[in-house]
Structures are given as structure tokens and as C-alpha cells.
């Protein structure tokens, strides 16, 4: 069933467009990379600050500034990823590496939601639990990025 669905996506107008266009796939790839940089760069700095580094930077203004950039980066990757998938859906649907990447993205989302649930308001320094969420976030997003790069080699 998944193979049939993937073949349908690849043969769709979108899949054919991304495959045949000389610029669609490269642009989608660049947008995906830009999104990744904004996501990991933005939330990575916040996570490092939550973990105890860069204590001279005020935590709440840093979070208010960089979290929207990270969310914007996530949106860019979420919009460009399906384009990249559509170009080679039949092959990618069988990729264990892609499966792990998607699973870890879901876990990272749960981690972010749990962090937001625990950290209510503009409290001061991070608690031990919040630091653990930050360390998990860094680990998850860096692993997602690494898996994304490994898809081409597996």
C-alpha cells in the first residue's frame, strides 16, 4: 500500500514537475537547507542557553527572538520536504533512514510541546527538567539533520 501511494505521488503533477524542472528540485533543496539552518541555529542557541551556556545572554529575550526563527525554519523544511520526497517517492518510501528521520521529527515535536507545557510564562533560569528537554532537543534536531544528509547514501 505504501509503495502504491509513493508511486502515485511520484507520478503526480507535483512529482513530475519537480523531476522535470531544471530548478524545482535544487530550489526545494536550498529552501530545505535554509530551513534546517534557521531551525537548528535558532533553537540550538536557545537550547545551549537553557543547558547553561552563554549565561550573559538574558534567557527570555533570547527565546522570544530565536524561537520564531526556528519555527520559521521548521515551516520551510516542512514545505520543501514533500517536494523533495515527491521527486523520488518510490525509492524514498522504502528508506529506513527517512523513516527514522520522520520518527525523530515527531519525537522532537513532542519534546518541544512538553517543554512549552513545563515552562509557563517568563520564569527565570531553566530548571533541571527544562535543561533535559533542551539537551534532548539538541540531540534530536542534530540527529534529524544527520539522517537527512544520510538519506542520499543509504
Amino acid at each position: 500500500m505504501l509503495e502504491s501511494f509513493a508511486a502515485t505521488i511520484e507520478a503526480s503533477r507535483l512529482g513530475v514537475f519537480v523531476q522535470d524542472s531544471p530548478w524545482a528540485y535544487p530550489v526545494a533543496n536550498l529552501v530545505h537547507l535554509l530551513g534546517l539552518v534557521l531551525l537548528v541555529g535558532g533553537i540550538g542557541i536557545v537550547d545551549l542557553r537553557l543547558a547553561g551556556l552563554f549565561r550573559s545572554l538574558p534567557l527570555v529575550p533570547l527565546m522570544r527572538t530565536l524561537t520564531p526563527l526556528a519555527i520559521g525554519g521548521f515551516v520551510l523544511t516542512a514545505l520543501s520536504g514533500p517536494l523533495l520526497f515527491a521527486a523520488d517517492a518510490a525509492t524514498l518510501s522504502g528508506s529506513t533512514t527517512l523513516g527514522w528521520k520522520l520518527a525523530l521529527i515527531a519525537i522532537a515535536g513532542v519534546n518541544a510541546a512538553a517543554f512549552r507545557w513545563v515552562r509557563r510564562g517568563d520564569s527565570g533560569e531553566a530548571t533541571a527538567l527544562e535543561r533535559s528537554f533542551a539537551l534532548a532537543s539538541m540531540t534530536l534536531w542534530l540527529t534529524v539533520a544527520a539522517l537527512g544528509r544520510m538519506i542520499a547514501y543509504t
Side-chain angles (χ1 to χ4, degrees), residues 40 43-44 47-48 51 111 133-143:
V40 175
I43 210 63
D47 287 340
L48 288 171
N111 183 69
F133 284 127
L135 293 171
S137 173
M138 282 189 296
T139 302
L140 287 163
W141 287 118
L142 290 174
T143 303

Side-chain angles (χ1 to χ4, degrees), residues 27-86:
V27 168
N29 204 6
L30 289 172
V31 169
H32 205 69
L33 180 61
L34 174 62
L36 178 66
V37 167
L38 289 171
L39 170 63
V40 175
I43 210 63
I45 296 297
V46 171
D47 287 340
L48 288 171
R49 175 60 183 88
L50 286 164
L53 277 71
F54 314 124
R55 288 192 181 269
S56 64
L57 298 174
L59 180 58
V60 172
L62 186 70
M63 289 175 66
R64 283 191 186 141
T65 302
L66 295 181
T67 300
L69 289 176
I71 292 169
F74 179 80
V75 169
L76 289 177
T77 62
L79 293 174
S80 58
L83 296 175
L84 299 173
F85 179 79

